[in-house]
Amino acid sequence: MSSAARRIGIAALGVALGALAGCGPAPAPPPMAMMAPAVAGHPAATTFTELPGAPQDPDPGAETDGVVLRVAEDLAVHDAPAGEVFSTLPATQLDNPTWVPVIDQRGDWAQVMLPSRPNGSVGWIRASGLQAARSPYVVDVDVDARRMVVRRDGAPIGEWVVGVGGPASPTPRGRTYIMASIEETVTTFSPIILPLGTHSETFNSYGGGPGTVALHGWPDPAVFGQDSSDGCVRVPADAMELLTTLPLGTVVLLR
């Protein structure tokens, strides 16, 4: 079992996690020769870190055009195009390759979502030299209605009743993304778990980890349509089968 899997402590799971399963968007044109260098001395943007100086998502309810970037080497993250560096985006997240969604672009600079606290953290990275791809999917979770719709190029391809966080530990709202895919080898409640780039706003830590929120299955269908989780979104098995085929970096709207 990887050390990252042992440490993550995803909200609503409370179990050890097994080996990590990699996935990613479809191949894109090869990257350019050079990548912007990382800057030493700045905290890494991961699910385990807090970035108090990070800008906040300017439109947390909006969809994107689906463009995602592969960060293959540690990369400096700026607070504005050509602005101050406040973090470094590493090449992997939970042993998965780092793919981040683009929410804005200005010339060579791309504003991307980050997986760190506080929720809604974003930053600017140089896009030149990065592999780009497009995820045509959006996962739209209506927390109050407890329904999830997956759309491809705007058209629904599946809709399900799901379970969400309870009143004492609600599912966080806002725009996030599928950060990683983890194969569960310890328990059987969800063969694959999809950690998101967002966290519980109730638990600063959970199970020894940072309280990362995830999409995952559940063996008892009675939880679907209920607000009984510790913040994660519990989905039926057929929904999970579809979700596990989506590219890393796919946008998830929790609204």
mmCIF file with all atom_site columns, all heavy atoms in Angstrom, residues 195-208:
data_model
loop_
_atom_site.group_PDB
_atom_site.id
_atom_site.type_symbol
_atom_site.label_atom_id
_atom_site.label_alt_id
_atom_site.label_comp_id
_atom_site.label_asym_id
_atom_site.label_entity_id
_atom_site.label_seq_id
_atom_site.pdbx_PDB_ins_code
_atom_site.Cartn_x
_atom_site.Cartn_y
_atom_site.Cartn_z
_atom_site.occupancy
_atom_site.B_iso_or_equiv
_atom_site.pdbx_formal_charge
_atom_site.auth_seq_id
_atom_site.auth_comp_id
_atom_site.auth_asym_id
_atom_site.auth_atom_id
_atom_site.pdbx_PDB_model_num
ATOM 1   N N   . PRO A 1 195 ? -10.790 10.721 -5.486 1.00 0.00 ? 195 PRO A N   1
ATOM 2   C CA  . PRO A 1 195 ? -10.602 11.934 -4.690 1.00 0.00 ? 195 PRO A CA  1
ATOM 3   C C   . PRO A 1 195 ? -10.762 13.180 -5.554 1.00 0.00 ? 195 PRO A C   1
ATOM 4   O O   . PRO A 1 195 ? -10.300 13.225 -6.693 1.00 0.00 ? 195 PRO A O   1
ATOM 5   C CB  . PRO A 1 195 ? -9.162  11.802 -4.168 1.00 0.00 ? 195 PRO A CB  1
ATOM 6   C CG  . PRO A 1 195 ? -8.813  10.363 -4.339 1.00 0.00 ? 195 PRO A CG  1
ATOM 7   C CD  . PRO A 1 195 ? -9.573  9.897  -5.522 1.00 0.00 ? 195 PRO A CD  1
ATOM 8   N N   . LEU A 1 196 ? -11.399 14.186 -4.989 1.00 0.00 ? 196 LEU A N   1
ATOM 9   C CA  . LEU A 1 196 ? -11.608 15.453 -5.677 1.00 0.00 ? 196 LEU A CA  1
ATOM 10  C C   . LEU A 1 196 ? -10.648 16.503 -5.138 1.00 0.00 ? 196 LEU A C   1
ATOM 11  O O   . LEU A 1 196 ? -10.063 16.339 -4.067 1.00 0.00 ? 196 LEU A O   1
ATOM 12  C CB  . LEU A 1 196 ? -13.049 15.924 -5.493 1.00 0.00 ? 196 LEU A CB  1
ATOM 13  C CG  . LEU A 1 196 ? -14.149 14.951 -5.929 1.00 0.00 ? 196 LEU A CG  1
ATOM 14  C CD1 . LEU A 1 196 ? -15.521 15.551 -5.641 1.00 0.00 ? 196 LEU A CD1 1
ATOM 15  C CD2 . LEU A 1 196 ? -14.010 14.576 -7.394 1.00 0.00 ? 196 LEU A CD2 1
ATOM 16  N N   . GLY A 1 197 ? -10.553 17.608 -5.846 1.00 0.00 ? 197 GLY A N   1
ATOM 17  C CA  . GLY A 1 197 ? -9.682  18.706 -5.405 1.00 0.00 ? 197 GLY A CA  1
ATOM 18  C C   . GLY A 1 197 ? -10.381 19.619 -4.423 1.00 0.00 ? 197 GLY A C   1
ATOM 19  O O   . GLY A 1 197 ? -10.274 20.847 -4.548 1.00 0.00 ? 197 GLY A O   1
ATOM 20  N N   . THR A 1 198 ? -11.110 19.050 -3.473 1.00 0.00 ? 198 THR A N   1
ATOM 21  C CA  . THR A 1 198 ? -11.809 19.838 -2.468 1.00 0.00 ? 198 THR A CA  1
ATOM 22  C C   . THR A 1 198 ? -11.844 19.058 -1.166 1.00 0.00 ? 198 THR A C   1
ATOM 23  O O   . THR A 1 198 ? -11.554 17.859 -1.136 1.00 0.00 ? 198 THR A O   1
ATOM 24  C CB  . THR A 1 198 ? -13.237 20.201 -2.941 1.00 0.00 ? 198 THR A CB  1
ATOM 25  O OG1 . THR A 1 198 ? -13.799 21.199 -2.090 1.00 0.00 ? 198 THR A OG1 1
ATOM 26  C CG2 . THR A 1 198 ? -14.146 18.990 -2.964 1.00 0.00 ? 198 THR A CG2 1
ATOM 27  N N   . HIS A 1 199 ? -12.206 19.739 -0.074 1.00 0.00 ? 199 HIS A N   1
ATOM 28  C CA  . HIS A 1 199 ? -12.111 19.162 1.269  1.00 0.00 ? 199 HIS A CA  1
ATOM 29  C C   . HIS A 1 199 ? -13.371 19.419 2.072  1.00 0.00 ? 199 HIS A C   1
ATOM 30  O O   . HIS A 1 199 ? -14.123 20.366 1.799  1.00 0.00 ? 199 HIS A O   1
ATOM 31  C CB  . HIS A 1 199 ? -10.929 19.780 2.029  1.00 0.00 ? 199 HIS A CB  1
ATOM 32  C CG  . HIS A 1 199 ? -9.600  19.506 1.421  1.00 0.00 ? 199 HIS A CG  1
ATOM 33  N ND1 . HIS A 1 199 ? -9.134  20.204 0.331  1.00 0.00 ? 199 HIS A ND1 1
ATOM 34  C CD2 . HIS A 1 199 ? -8.636  18.615 1.744  1.00 0.00 ? 199 HIS A CD2 1
ATOM 35  C CE1 . HIS A 1 199 ? -7.932  19.741 0.006  1.00 0.00 ? 199 HIS A CE1 1
ATOM 36  N NE2 . HIS A 1 199 ? -7.606  18.782 0.841  1.00 0.00 ? 199 HIS A NE2 1
ATOM 37  N N   . SER A 1 200 ? -13.555 18.591 3.085  1.00 0.00 ? 200 SER A N   1
ATOM 38  C CA  . SER A 1 200 ? -14.603 18.841 4.066  1.00 0.00 ? 200 SER A CA  1
ATOM 39  C C   . SER A 1 200 ? -14.360 20.182 4.739  1.00 0.00 ? 200 SER A C   1
ATOM 40  O O   . SER A 1 200 ? -13.227 20.511 5.087  1.00 0.00 ? 200 SER A O   1
ATOM 41  C CB  . SER A 1 200 ? -14.614 17.733 5.120  1.00 0.00 ? 200 SER A CB  1
ATOM 42  O OG  . SER A 1 200 ? -15.429 18.098 6.221  1.00 0.00 ? 200 SER A OG  1
ATOM 43  N N   . GLU A 1 201 ? -15.420 20.941 4.924  1.00 0.00 ? 201 GLU A N   1
ATOM 44  C CA  . GLU A 1 201 ? -15.307 22.195 5.665  1.00 0.00 ? 201 GLU A CA  1
ATOM 45  C C   . GLU A 1 201 ? -15.686 21.997 7.128  1.00 0.00 ? 201 GLU A C   1
ATOM 46  O O   . GLU A 1 201 ? -15.711 22.958 7.896  1.00 0.00 ? 201 GLU A O   1
ATOM 47  C CB  . GLU A 1 201 ? -16.158 23.264 4.992  1.00 0.00 ? 201 GLU A CB  1
ATOM 48  C CG  . GLU A 1 201 ? -15.624 23.612 3.604  1.00 0.00 ? 201 GLU A CG  1
ATOM 49  C CD  . GLU A 1 201 ? -16.405 24.699 2.902  1.00 0.00 ? 201 GLU A CD  1
ATOM 50  O OE1 . GLU A 1 201 ? -17.531 25.004 3.366  1.00 0.00 ? 201 GLU A OE1 1
ATOM 51  O OE2 . GLU A 1 201 ? -15.895 25.244 1.909  1.00 0.00 ? 201 GLU A OE2 1
ATOM 52  N N   . THR A 1 202 ? -15.984 20.742 7.495  1.00 0.00 ? 202 THR A N   1
ATOM 53  C CA  . THR A 1 202 ? -16.258 20.385 8.888  1.00 0.00 ? 202 THR A CA  1
ATOM 54  C C   . THR A 1 202 ? -15.026 19.789 9.548  1.00 0.00 ? 202 THR A C   1
ATOM 55  O O   . THR A 1 202 ? -14.682 20.127 10.679 1.00 0.00 ? 202 THR A O   1
ATOM 56  C CB  . THR A 1 202 ? -17.417 19.375 8.965  1.00 0.00 ? 202 THR A CB  1
ATOM 57  O OG1 . THR A 1 202 ? -18.578 19.935 8.365  1.00 0.00 ? 202 THR A OG1 1
ATOM 58  C CG2 . THR A 1 202 ? -17.720 19.002 10.416 1.00 0.00 ? 202 THR A CG2 1
ATOM 59  N N   . PHE A 1 203 ? -14.367 18.887 8.831  1.00 0.00 ? 203 PHE A N   1
ATOM 60  C CA  . PHE A 1 203 ? -13.204 18.176 9.367  1.00 0.00 ? 203 PHE A CA  1
ATOM 61  C C   . PHE A 1 203 ? -11.920 18.776 8.801  1.00 0.00 ? 203 PHE A C   1
ATOM 62  O O   . PHE A 1 203 ? -11.698 18.747 7.596  1.00 0.00 ? 203 PHE A O   1
ATOM 63  C CB  . PHE A 1 203 ? -13.263 16.692 9.004  1.00 0.00 ? 203 PHE A CB  1
ATOM 64  C CG  . PHE A 1 203 ? -14.489 15.987 9.503  1.00 0.00 ? 203 PHE A CG  1
ATOM 65  C CD1 . PHE A 1 203 ? -15.510 15.643 8.625  1.00 0.00 ? 203 PHE A CD1 1
ATOM 66  C CD2 . PHE A 1 203 ? -14.637 15.680 10.842 1.00 0.00 ? 203 PHE A CD2 1
ATOM 67  C CE1 . PHE A 1 203 ? -16.649 14.994 9.065  1.00 0.00 ? 203 PHE A CE1 1
ATOM 68  C CE2 . PHE A 1 203 ? -15.772 15.035 11.305 1.00 0.00 ? 203 PHE A CE2 1
ATOM 69  C CZ  . PHE A 1 203 ? -16.780 14.689 10.417 1.00 0.00 ? 203 PHE A CZ  1
ATOM 70  N N   . ASN A 1 204 ? -11.087 19.318 9.686  1.00 0.00 ? 204 ASN A N   1
ATOM 71  C CA  . ASN A 1 204 ? -9.762  19.750 9.252  1.00 0.00 ? 204 ASN A CA  1
ATOM 72  C C   . ASN A 1 204 ? -8.874  18.556 8.948  1.00 0.00 ? 204 ASN A C   1
ATOM 73  O O   . ASN A 1 204 ? -7.925  18.647 8.176  1.00 0.00 ? 204 ASN A O   1
ATOM 74  C CB  . ASN A 1 204 ? -9.108  20.631 10.312 1.00 0.00 ? 204 ASN A CB  1
ATOM 75  C CG  . ASN A 1 204 ? -9.775  21.986 10.405 1.00 0.00 ? 204 ASN A CG  1
ATOM 76  O OD1 . ASN A 1 204 ? -10.230 22.532 9.400  1.00 0.00 ? 204 ASN A OD1 1
ATOM 77  N ND2 . ASN A 1 204 ? -9.859  22.529 11.604 1.00 0.00 ? 204 ASN A ND2 1
ATOM 78  N N   . SER A 1 205 ? -9.171  17.431 9.586  1.00 0.00 ? 205 SER A N   1
ATOM 79  C CA  . SER A 1 205 ? -8.511  16.171 9.279  1.00 0.00 ? 205 SER A CA  1
ATOM 80  C C   . SER A 1 205 ? -9.542  15.069 9.442  1.00 0.00 ? 205 SER A C   1
ATOM 81  O O   . SER A 1 205 ? -10.559 15.238 10.123 1.00 0.00 ? 205 SER A O   1
ATOM 82  C CB  . SER A 1 205 ? -7.300  15.928 10.193 1.00 0.00 ? 205 SER A CB  1
ATOM 83  O OG  . SER A 1 205 ? -7.721  15.785 11.537 1.00 0.00 ? 205 SER A OG  1
ATOM 84  N N   . TYR A 1 206 ? -9.283  13.935 8.805  1.00 0.00 ? 206 TYR A N   1
ATOM 85  C CA  . TYR A 1 206 ? -10.227 12.820 8.866  1.00 0.00 ? 206 TYR A CA  1
ATOM 86  C C   . TYR A 1 206 ? -9.436  11.538 8.697  1.00 0.00 ? 206 TYR A C   1
ATOM 87  O O   . TYR A 1 206 ? -8.717  11.365 7.716  1.00 0.00 ? 206 TYR A O   1
ATOM 88  C CB  . TYR A 1 206 ? -11.280 12.935 7.769  1.00 0.00 ? 206 TYR A CB  1
ATOM 89  C CG  . TYR A 1 206 ? -12.448 11.998 7.930  1.00 0.00 ? 206 TYR A CG  1
ATOM 90  C CD1 . TYR A 1 206 ? -13.630 12.418 8.531  1.00 0.00 ? 206 TYR A CD1 1
ATOM 91  C CD2 . TYR A 1 206 ? -12.368 10.683 7.488  1.00 0.00 ? 206 TYR A CD2 1
ATOM 92  C CE1 . TYR A 1 206 ? -14.705 11.560 8.682  1.00 0.00 ? 206 TYR A CE1 1
ATOM 93  C CE2 . TYR A 1 206 ? -13.427 9.810  7.644  1.00 0.00 ? 206 TYR A CE2 1
ATOM 94  C CZ  . TYR A 1 206 ? -14.603 10.253 8.239  1.00 0.00 ? 206 TYR A CZ  1
ATOM 95  O OH  . TYR A 1 206 ? -15.655 9.385  8.399  1.00 0.00 ? 206 TYR A OH  1
ATOM 96  N N   . GLY A 1 207 ? -9.535  10.645 9.679  1.00 0.00 ? 207 GLY A N   1
ATOM 97  C CA  . GLY A 1 207 ? -8.813  9.381  9.595  1.00 0.00 ? 207 GLY A CA  1
ATOM 98  C C   . GLY A 1 207 ? -7.310  9.559  9.485  1.00 0.00 ? 207 GLY A C   1
ATOM 99  O O   . GLY A 1 207 ? -6.631  8.737  8.891  1.00 0.00 ? 207 GLY A O   1
ATOM 100 N N   . GLY A 1 208 ? -6.792  10.656 10.040 1.00 0.00 ? 208 GLY A N   1
ATOM 101 C CA  . GLY A 1 208 ? -5.366  10.920 9.964  1.00 0.00 ? 208 GLY A CA  1
ATOM 102 C C   . GLY A 1 208 ? -4.945  11.668 8.723  1.00 0.00 ? 208 GLY A C   1
ATOM 103 O O   . GLY A 1 208 ? -3.772  11.990 8.553  1.00 0.00 ? 208 GLY A O   1
#
